[in-house]
Amino acid sequence: MALNLVMFGPPGAGKGTQASRLEQSRGIPQISTGDILREAVHAGSELGRQAKMIMDKGELVSDELIVGIIRERLRRDDVEQGFILDGFPRTVAQAVALDEILTGGDPLVIIELNVPDSSLVLRLSSRRVCGQCGATYGSSDGEPPSICANCGADVVLRSDDQKEVVLERLRVYQEQTQPLVAFYQDRVTFRSIDGNQSPDTVQTAIVAALDSVLAVVREERLSVG
Ligand code: AP5
């Protein structure tokens, strides 16, 4: 069975950190809509130009645009054994579109990371990223370097990690993304996890949640015949 996974949670919850660890351990691709948009910004494409204005304000790009990107991405061969969506879906309309894209395939597993706003603000204000290759230096990794260890470029504050933009991202999350909990929470494949623990402890909790979800799905399949 393919592992079709959504890492869900507010800005700074650790979606990217945990998705990247799962990509390594499970060998399935992490698909981050934020990274895709930032690559477009870096490349200076028309998509990037439009997205930058929206991202810098902490708003969401249009459902139509982002669903189109995901629809194309999920056609690629490397998702045959599954994928980890990081930052998508973010609205009920995106979630409905994802269900439609996956119709007839293996079930969607949703892991929600819960972290209080106070920790989110702290994490995002202390995060630094490489302006060239995008490498992330987080609060849990100690004092960030000023020069990227990967490529030697400057390490900077992400443009949407400025305090006022972070607060807007949290507001937008409450308004447009939090309703997805009600959309997903009755599914047997939904699990909520305390993300306000060390990255290793969160990872262990995710692995346990995935094991329990996959066991339930297998059992259901056996009982159906
Ligand atoms: P995106 O890049 O997806 O931003 P986000 O959802 O706000 O998520 P972040 O990357 O800030 O946080 P994360 O949860 O991945 O946490 P991370 O692991 O990095 O999107 C950016 C923008 O693009 C959006 O605002 C929007 O404009 C647009 N966009 C993207 N997708 C869209 C969509 N579907 N629809 C419309 N628009 C879309 O960790 C954060 C920090 O905390 C790091 O420093 C990390 O080291 C640290 N950390 C991680 N885990 C822990 C831990 N357990 N303890 C302590 N520190 C930790």
Side-chain angles (χ1 to χ4, degrees):
M1 181 167 60
L3 175 59
N4 297 338
L5 177 64
V6 168
M7 290 298 307
F8 176 78
K15 303 180 296 294
T17 302
Q18 297 298 333
S20 161
R21 289 176 177 218
L22 278 172
E23 178 179 58
Q24 298 293 320
S25 61
R26 305 266 166 160
I28 53 175
Q30 168 189 9
I31 302 174
S32 158
T33 40
D35 285 349
I36 292 170
L37 294 171
R38 278 184 290 277
E39 277 160 24
V41 171
H42 196 68
S45 65
E46 177 54 25
L47 164 66
R49 204 186 53 76
Q50 285 178 25
K52 182 165 172 47
M53 286 191 290
I54 297 167
M55 292 166 83
D56 282 352
K57 283 193 281 186
E59 312 292 333
L60 299 184
V61 304
S62 75
D63 288 336
E64 192 188 2
L65 190 110
I66 211 84
V67 167
I69 289 173
I70 287 295
R71 194 184 296 281
E72 280 306 309
R73 181 62 187 84
L74 294 182
R75 285 197 182 121
R76 290 194 3 206
D77 292 343
D78 65 344
V79 299
E80 213 166 275
Q81 296 306 313
F83 51 78
I84 308 150
L85 288 173
D86 160 14
F88 180 94
R90 257 175 149 102
T91 63
V92 171
Q94 291 179 17
V96 169
L98 180 60
D99 281 346
E100 182 259 312
I101 291 168
L102 298 178
T103 303
D106 285 315
L108 188 66
V109 180
I110 306 102
I111 301 282
E112 180 196 22
L113 297 177
N114 275 308
V115 179
D117 281 5
S118 54
S119 298
L120 298 172
V121 171
L122 200 66
R123 285 183 189 183
L124 295 178
S125 61
S126 52
R127 170 169 61 185
R128 296 293 180 276
V129 295
C130 172
Q132 183 66 35
C133 73
T136 296
Y137 299 91
S139 48
S140 54
D141 308 322
E143 189 64 26
S146 53
I147 298 293
C148 178
N150 284 346
C151 72
D154 286 347
V155 169
V156 295
L157 185 72
R158 207 170 96 175
S159 58
D160 60 349
D161 280 349
Q162 292 168 50
K163 181 88 183 282
E164 62 281 13
V165 185
V166 167
L167 295 178
E168 176 63 5
R169 286 161 66 197
L170 291 174
R171 191 196 65 74
V172 168
Y173 177 80
Q174 282 305 324
E175 187 183 276
Q176 301 195 48
T177 311
Q178 178 69 22
L180 281 179
V181 174
F183 183 85
Y184 282 133
Q185 69 185 355
D186 292 337
R187 299 189 185 188
V188 295
T189 53
F190 176 85
R191 293 287 184 283
S192 195
I193 282 175
D194 177 7
N196 201 24
Q197 314 177 78
S198 76
D200 287 350
T201 307
V202 175
Q203 184 179 6
T204 302
I206 291 174
V207 169
L210 289 178
D211 287 347
S212 105
V213 165
L214 295 178
V216 169
V217 171
R218 284 196 190 100
E219 213 167 283
E220 278 197 342
R221 285 188 170 178
L222 282 176
S223 66
V224 170

